[in-house]
Amino acid sequence: MSLDCSSASVIVAGDVMLDRYWFGDSTRISPEAPVPVVHVQRTRDVAGGAANVAVNAVNLGVQTTLLSVVGDDHDGRALQSLLESRNVHCAFVRDPALQTTVKLRVISRNQQIVRADFEQRPDHELLFPLVAQFREKLKTCKTVVFSDYGKGGLAHLRMMMGDARAANACILVDPKGPDYSIYRGASVVTPNRDEFAQAAGKWNGESDFERRAFKLRDDLELGALLVTRSEEGMSLVIGNRHVRIPAQAREVYDVSGAGDTVIATMAAALAAGQDMESAARLANAAAGVVVGKIGTAPITLEELNRHV
């Protein structure tokens, strides 16, 4: 079941960030505090959040437009340059008063030692131009991904959801927080296990999980619900079926960005004409590849097609 996205296009809207990695060795404990001293030997910047979703989609051969807000700062320019080098079309609003979100991870011997986050929420009114751009893009693209990291970049999501539904677009949502009412009417919502528990409550056994999943899907009038469940694989709730998709059996090094890969692959497959179950199985295969990499690392079409 290989994937051909040569004629597919998607819009990605949401919270973008720069994932910064410092790699080094650690052989001693600091004399100042009981923490390791890492001798940083190399650094790497990669796209994170909704930006990572966009890179994943482009890697799969999809024409991708990314809508978001960044600061008018060095990190914002670095992120845009990185994305444009990957052929992502960036439709960014720049705010001089905003700090571009950066997640800094210090890695030693393939282990994350510490993460430092630099972020602030954008002004609500600043985001209005994104809505106008979104409406314009909907005229030619009918597959939409909302990547919600809870950083404030989707302050006008209700309005954008309404526009997407009115345009009969396929709407995919990577959710955040306990209240999913804002995602009502989406084609598919893709929470991980913990995010699902936040919205639907903790479950006791598989039958209780299934009951809660169907209830959440029905209450929100979703086309489908896809819950990623780590080593338990994925659960796709669609129609009257609960489709269980087993996890890919390979070693897990880092789950950073796995959710981004899942929703990007789902969007690419649906935009290319695949049905929901086929798209979910492709997304599961893609997730199995990226968790075997260190750090936020997107899938490639060649990797995906080798594993399906």
Side-chain angles (χ1 to χ4, degrees):
M1 184 174 57
S2 61
L3 185 62
D4 178 8
C5 299
S6 54
S7 61
S9 63
V10 302
I11 302 167
V12 179
D15 300 302
V16 298
M17 57 199 72
L18 191 65
D19 281 353
R20 178 162 288 150
Y21 292 87
W22 291 355
F23 297 93
D25 201 8
S26 176
T27 58
R28 63 190 180 96
I29 301 299
S30 170
E32 304 165 353
V35 295
V37 176
V38 178
H39 176 211
V40 176
Q41 294 162 320
R42 64 185 178 94
T43 65
R44 182 164 66 103
D45 286 351
V46 298
N52 186 40
V53 176
V55 171
N56 273 276
V58 166
N59 279 8
L60 294 173
V62 180
Q63 294 182 28
T64 305
T65 299
L66 176 61
L67 303 176
S68 193
V69 59
V70 295
D72 190 13
D73 53 17
H74 171 77
D75 291 326
R77 288 186 287 275
L79 178 58
Q80 182 162 349
S81 177
L82 190 159
L83 288 164
E84 289 176 345
S85 73
R86 297 294 192 92
N87 296 317
V88 176
H89 175 64
C90 298
F92 284 170
V93 172
R94 292 190 173 277
D95 180 11
L98 183 70
Q99 179 182 28
T100 300
T101 299
V102 175
K103 291 184 179 181
L104 169 63
R105 297 172 176 91
V106 180
I107 311 290
S108 177
R109 300 182 183 181
N110 292 339
Q111 294 292 323
Q112 186 176 147
I113 304 298
V114 68
R115 192 181 96 182
D117 290 3
F118 306 84
E119 63 186 45
Q120 66 185 103
R121 297 182 73 84
D123 183 84
H124 190 272
E125 299 307 313
L126 170 76
L127 298 169
F128 267 123
L130 288 178
V131 178
Q133 290 192 60
F134 180 69
R135 286 173 178 160
E136 187 64 27
K137 300 296 181 185
L138 275 175
K139 293 176 182 178
T140 55
C141 181
K142 299 303 182 186
T143 304
V144 177
V145 175
F146 291 116
S147 180
D148 192 352
Y149 271 77
K151 308 298 183 187
L154 289 174
H156 299 300
L157 180 57
R158 288 189 191 278
M159 195 181 305
M160 296 166 81
M161 284 283 296
D163 291 337
R165 286 194 300 267
N168 292 317
C170 178
I171 307 168
L172 301 92
V173 180
D174 192 356
K176 196 72 172 178
D179 181 11
Y180 283 17
S181 63
I182 196 169
Y183 311 131
R184 182 178 305 279
S187 305
V188 61
V189 176
T190 64
N192 62 31
R193 188 165 52 188
D194 293 338
E195 290 164 343
F196 175 76
Q198 271 193 299
K202 294 188 180 298
W203 60 92
N204 181 21
E206 194 66 10
S207 61
D208 189 33
F209 168 85
E210 195 170 273
R211 179 185 65 80
R212 292 174 186 272
F214 274 105
K215 184 176 188 306
L216 184 65
R217 192 279 309 268
D218 292 344
D219 287 350
L220 296 176
E221 302 169 1
L222 305 175
L225 176 69
L226 180 69
V227 184
T228 58
R229 303 174 66 181
S230 299
E231 72 279 358
E232 297 175 335
M234 294 182 176
S235 286
L236 175 66
V237 172
I238 184 167
N240 61 359
R241 297 184 301 139
H242 173 196
V243 181
R244 297 171 178 83
I245 305 172
Q248 296 280 352
R250 53 177 55 93
E251 192 167 2
V252 174
Y253 286 102
D254 194 339
V255 298
S256 301
D260 300 333
T261 298
V262 167
I263 199 164
T265 308
M266 287 285 293
L270 292 170
Q274 299 270 0
D275 61 57
M276 192 68 72
E277 183 176 341
S278 297
R281 293 188 183 279
L282 286 164
N284 185 57
V289 173
V290 298
V291 297
K293 302 180 181 183
I294 300 297
T296 305
I299 190 73
T300 68
L301 185 58
E302 293 74 21
E303 288 173 327
L304 177 59
N305 284 336
R306 278 201 307 267
H307 288 89
V308 295

